[in-house]
C-alpha cells in the first residue's frame, strides 16, 4: 500500500507520515516547503519506504500509483495564511482538485484535512458537524476559511458524482513537537516567550477560548477516521476549553517561567470561542483525546527549548557574518 501526503513535511503532515509508515504504508510526501520544513521528515531520510518530493500541488501532479491520498497541504497559522493569502486560496482550490484527480486516477481513497475554521466565529457552542458556521467571506481569515470550505464542497462533489471514497476531518487547535516556533500561533508564541523570559502576549483581554489537542491524540483520531467508512466531516479535537489567560497560566506552570503578561490588540475576526463536540468521533471511531494540555506541553517542552536554542544560534551566526 502506498500513501501520498500533500503537505507531508508540515507539522501535522510529517506526524501523519510517521503514523502511516508505522501502519505499514510506503509514503510519498509532497511539499513545496513554503511553510513546511524538510527538517520535519529528516529522520525518515534513510527509510527506503519514504520519499519527499518538492513540488507545488497547485499544478497537476502524478507520482505513480497510490492507494491513498491525504491532502494536508496549506499554510495553517493565521500569521502564515495572511502572509501567503493567494497561495493559501490556490492550494485550497486548485490544489484540492489536483489532489482529488490524483486519487481518482488510481482509484485511491482520499482524506481531506479540514478545520474548525469552517465554523468561523461560531454562534453555536460547542460546535457540532451539522453547524454551517459564521464565516466572514472577505475578511483576513477568508483565504484559509473559504479555501477549506470550498475544498470540503469539492471533496463531497467527487464523492457524490465520481464515487470517490472520501473522508473529511475538521481539525481543532493542535500543538506539539515540530510546530514552527515563529508561526505566530498561541502555543509556540507563549512557549517561546516563557522559555526566553519575555512577556507573554495576550491578544485582546484573553477571555477568548480555544480547545487544544495534543498532536499524538489528533493523529490517532485521523488514522481511525482514515480506516473508517465515514464520508461526512468528523470533528477531531480536544473538548477541554481554555481562555487564553488560562492557557498562559498552564504555559507558565509547565515552563516554570516568571514571565509577565502583556496585552496587545485582538486581531480582526478572531473567533471568541471554539470547542468541538466529539460525539461523532466517540461513536463512529471509538476515539477521544487522552492527553491534557499540561501533559502535552510537558511532552513538547524539550522540542520548544531546542527550537529556541537553534533559532538563537542561527541569529548569532547571522550577526557574526
Ligand atoms: N493569541 C494570543 N497571543 C498570541 C497568539 C495568539 O493571545 O501570542 C490568541 C489569538 O488571538 C487567538 C488564540 O490565541 O484568540 C488562538 O490563536 P492562534 O493563532 O493560535 O490560532 P486560531 O485558533 O486563532 O487559528
Amino acid at each position: 500500500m502506498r500513501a501520498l501526503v500533500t503537505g507531508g513535511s508540515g507539522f501535522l503532515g510529517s506526524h501523519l507520515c510517521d503514523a502511516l509508515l508505522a501502519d505499514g504504508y510506503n509514503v510519498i510526501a509532497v511539499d513545496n516547503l513554503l511553510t513546511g520544513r524538510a527538517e520535519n521528515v529528516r529522520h525518515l531520510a534513510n527509510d527506503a519506504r519514504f520519499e519527499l518530493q518538492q513540488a507545488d500541488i497547485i499544478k497537476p501532479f502524478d507520482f505513480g500509483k497510490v492507494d491513498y491520498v491525504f491532502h494536508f497541504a496549506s499554510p495553517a497559522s493565521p500569521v502564515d495564511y495572511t502572509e501567503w493569502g493567494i497561495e493559501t486560496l490556490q492550494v485550497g482550490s486548485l490544489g484540492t482538485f489536483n489532489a482529488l484527480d490524483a486519487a481518482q486516477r488510481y482509484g485511491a481513497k482520499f482524506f481531506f484535512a479540514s478545520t474548525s475554521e469552517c465554523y468561523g466565529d461560531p454562534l453555536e457552542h460547542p460546535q457540532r458537524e451539522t453547524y454551517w458556521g459564521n464565516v466572514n467571506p472577505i475578511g483576513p481569515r477568508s483565504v484559509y476559511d473559504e479555501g477549506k470550505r470550498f475544498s470540503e464542497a469539492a471533496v463531497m462533489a467527487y464523492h457524490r458524482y465520481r464515487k470517490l471514497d472520501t473522508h473529511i476531518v475538521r481539525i481543532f487547535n493542535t500543538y506539539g513537537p515540530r510546530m514552527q516556533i515563529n508561526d505566530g500561533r498561541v502555543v509556540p508564541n507563549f512557549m517561546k516567550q516563557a522559555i526566553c523570559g519575555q512577556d507573554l502576549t495576550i491578544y485582546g483581554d484573553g477571555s477568548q477560548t480555544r480547545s487544544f489537542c495534543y498532536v499524538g491524540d489528533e493523529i490517532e483520531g485521523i488514522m481511525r477516521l482514515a480506516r473508517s467508512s465515514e464520508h461526512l466531516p468528523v470533528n477531531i479535537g480536544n473538548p477541554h476549553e481554555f481562555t487564553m489567560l488560562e492557557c498562559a497560566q498552564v504555559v507558565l506552570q509547565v515552563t516554570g517561567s516568571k514571565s509577565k503578561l502583556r496585552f496587545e490588540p485582538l486581531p480582526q475576526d478572531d473567533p471568541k470561542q471554539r470547542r468541538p463536540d466529539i460525539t461523532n468521533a466517540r461513536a463512529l471511531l471509538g476515539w477521544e483525546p487522552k492527553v491534557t494540555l499540561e501533559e502535552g506541553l510537558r511532552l513538547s517542552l524539550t522540542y520548544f527549548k531546542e527550537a529556541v536554542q537553534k533559532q538563537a544560534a542561527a541569529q548569532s551566526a547571522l550577526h557574526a557574518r
Side-chain angles (χ1 to χ4, degrees):
M1 295 284 273
R2 188 163 183 253
L4 184 151
V5 182
T6 77
S9 61
F11 164 50
L12 281 180
S14 66
H15 283 284
L16 178 64
C17 289
D18 289 342
L20 289 166
L21 287 163
D23 220 30
Y25 280 91
N26 285 6
V27 175
I28 170 166
V30 183
D31 205 303
N32 67 352
L33 303 181
L34 180 67
T35 58
R37 295 177 303 153
E39 193 184 318
N40 286 340
V41 289
R42 193 149 292 147
H43 61 290
L44 302 174
N46 293 326
D47 190 331
R49 296 180 305 131
F50 177 80
E51 73 183 282
L52 171 62
Q53 287 284 348
Q54 189 172 346
D56 191 339
I57 61 154
I58 71 167
K59 300 201 183 74
F61 60 89
D62 185 352
F63 294 105
K65 185 175 177 350
V66 288
D67 304 285
Y68 217 137
V69 173
F70 292 83
H71 180 30
F72 275 62
S74 179
S77 84
V79 166
D80 283 343
Y81 61 67
T82 328
E83 180 174 359
W84 302 106
I86 305 285
E87 290 78 2
T88 302
L89 269 175
Q90 286 175 327
V91 79
S93 52
L94 302 170
T96 300
F97 273 125
N98 290 330
L100 284 162
D101 288 338
Q104 196 189 323
R105 187 176 307 127
Y106 295 109
K109 293 185 191 212
F110 188 86
F111 189 104
F112 178 57
S114 189
T115 167
S116 59
E117 283 291 308
C118 288
Y119 304 123
D121 191 2
L123 304 176
E124 176 180 307
H125 195 71
Q127 293 78 52
R128 285 176 297 181
E129 290 88 348
T130 46
Y131 178 50
W132 290 358
N134 178 36
V135 171
N136 177 352
I138 55 166
R141 299 173 84 102
S142 63
V143 290
Y144 185 69
D145 300 7
E146 297 295 12
K148 291 290 186 182
R149 286 163 64 100
F150 173 86
S151 294
E152 286 198 4
V155 173
M156 289 309 296
Y158 271 62
H159 175 67
R160 291 199 179 102
Y161 300 116
R162 301 195 176 173
K163 308 297 170 215
L164 228 64
D165 185 359
T166 59
H167 308 277
I168 299 174
V169 62
R170 291 202 182 128
I171 299 170
F172 284 65
N173 295 65
T174 303
Y175 67 95
R178 299 188 198 155
M179 288 187 103
Q180 295 181 65
I181 55 165
N182 291 327
D183 79 1
R185 281 191 270 202
V186 67
V187 168
N189 270 10
F190 285 180
M191 290 296 276
K192 183 176 59 180
Q193 291 160 344
I195 289 165
C196 298
Q198 298 164 350
D199 293 348
L200 271 53
T201 49
I202 308 275
Y203 300 162
D205 64 5
S207 64
Q208 72 273 30
T209 68
R210 295 293 186 274
S211 306
F212 299 100
C213 191
Y214 184 65
V215 64
D217 281 337
E218 187 68 40
I219 293 292
E220 172 63 23
I222 285 169
M223 290 298 287
R224 287 188 189 210
L225 180 57
R227 290 182 205 113
S228 80
S229 56
E230 180 62 28
H231 298 299
L232 295 174
V234 178
N235 291 336
I236 297 286
N238 192 318
H240 192 140
E241 186 179 2
F242 292 82
T243 66
M244 292 312 102
L245 285 173
E246 289 167 341
C247 175
Q249 291 310 326
V250 181
V251 167
L252 292 177
Q253 197 184 322
V254 166
T255 54
S257 167
K258 302 259 179 299
S259 287
K260 305 268 176 295
L261 307 184
R262 189 172 80 232
F263 291 85
E264 293 193 352
L266 191 66
Q268 189 191 331
D269 293 345
D270 198 281
K272 282 179 274 308
Q273 52 183 5
R274 277 287 169 72
R275 179 184 175 193
D277 181 316
I278 59 164
T279 307
N280 282 339
R282 284 198 176 102
L284 298 168
L285 314 175
W287 176 87
E288 63 181 5
K290 302 217 166 9
V291 180
T292 64
L293 180 58
E294 187 186 329
E295 289 165 350
L297 290 178
R298 282 193 200 287
L299 291 170
S300 313
L301 186 56
T302 308
Y303 166 76
F304 280 114
K305 279 187 177 161
E306 285 174 3
V308 166
Q309 276 166 6
K310 266 190 211 156
Q311 180 171 271
Q315 274 164 357
S316 61
L318 208 63
H319 277 299
R321 272 216 235 142

